[in-house]
């Protein structure tokens, strides 16, 4: 079993990933922020701790800001000090306020890039030397169908498009060091997360009631569906897979109908 760091692993989809990896026997270090962030309902760490306890497993839960190099380094030092190595990273932390180029203020645009793109860079940069020293490992970056472009998500789409490009570049750069880098995209149109519900003002019922394309399973995707794909990409079963995208849910990369303007 591997030692894995999960950014934004304390709530929502990240929480699902943390719990599933811990349930499978991985040593997981999950971190996030206790206070709610823009466009998200994520708050505190009690939820992830309760779910871990209910699943009969444990994980290290830390408070840290993925956009802070010092915080990221502190998480890495904690992980190496406690477990001796790092073999996997899941770059999940993200924020996703809605808006067009015209309606997104410059500070918000910068914050989205800081968390979603710079955070992935900082975490990967801090963990890679340990993974290389250990003989290889796996990085899974959580993308979004918005990374191929979606309406009213200009800054978020730009950040998630960057994640795809960054992941492919990293896959090339670290191929011979046996570090695999892949992207998992949550889809299904109705996947419940702190971010998706946050866009509905925290009203989970309103979010769930909206029309959703669902998945081939006949239902919207769940956090566990995404976590299962992440677990596969981290595992030795995916030892030959790098530089690819797994779309967990509907075929977001193929686009879809443009919704009418309100």
């Amino acid at each position: 079993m591997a030692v894995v760091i999960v950014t934004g692993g304390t709530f929502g989809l990240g929480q699902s990933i943390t719990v599933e990896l811990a349930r499978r026997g991985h040593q997981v270090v999950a971190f996030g922020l206790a206070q709610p962030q823009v466009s998200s309902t994520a708050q505190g760490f009690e939820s992830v701790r309760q779910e871990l306890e209910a699943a009969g497993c444990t994980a290290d839960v830390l408070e840290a800001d993925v956009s802070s190099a010092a915080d990221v380094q502190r998480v890495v030092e904690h992980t190496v000090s406690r477990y001796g190595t790092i073999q996997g990273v899941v770059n999940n932390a993200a924020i996703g306020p809605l808006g067009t180029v015209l309606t997104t203020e410059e500070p918000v645009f910068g914050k989205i890039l800081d968390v979603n793109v710079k955070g992935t860079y900082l975490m990967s940069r801090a963990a890679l030397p340990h993974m290389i020293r250990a003989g290889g490992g796996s990085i899974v970056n959580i993308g979004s169908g918005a990374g191929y472009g979606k309406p009213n998500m200009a800054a978020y789409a730009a950040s998630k498009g960057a994640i795809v490009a960054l992941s492919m570049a990293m896959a090339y750069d670290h191929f011979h060091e046996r570090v695999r880098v892949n992207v998992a995209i949550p889809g299904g149109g109705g996947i419940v997360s702190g971010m998706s519900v946050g866009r509905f003002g925290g009203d989970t019922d309103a979010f769930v009631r909206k029309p959703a394309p669902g998945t081939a399973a006949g239902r919207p995707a769940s956090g566990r569906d995404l976590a299962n794909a992440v677990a596969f990409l981290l595992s030795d079963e995916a030892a030959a897979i790098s530089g690819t995208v797994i779309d967990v849910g509907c075929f977001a990369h193929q686009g879809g109908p443009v919704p009418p303007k309100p």
Side-chain angles (χ1 to χ4, degrees), residues 23-24 128-129 156-157 181 190 196 215 229 253:
R23 192 185 67 79
R24 292 176 181 234
L128 269 165
Y156 181 67
V181 186
S196 60
T215 69
H253 61 287

Side-chain angles (χ1 to χ4, degrees), residues 158-232:
S159 74
K160 288 302 186 177
I163 288 300
V164 173
L166 176 60
S167 300
M168 301 310 129
M170 289 170 59
Y172 277 118
D173 289 339
H174 304 290
F175 182 91
H176 293 295
E177 294 161 329
R178 297 181 63 188
V179 177
R180 298 176 286 111
V181 186
N182 293 289
V183 178
I185 294 179
I191 192 165
V192 176
S193 70
M195 182 188 300
S196 60
V197 174
R199 290 170 177 156
F200 279 71
D203 188 341
T204 302
D205 291 338
F207 173 75
V208 171
R209 283 197 304 269
K210 77 179 180 65
T215 69
R219 55 166 175 76
S222 70
R224 189 162 187 181
D225 290 321
L226 176 64
N228 286 337
V230 169
F232 166 69

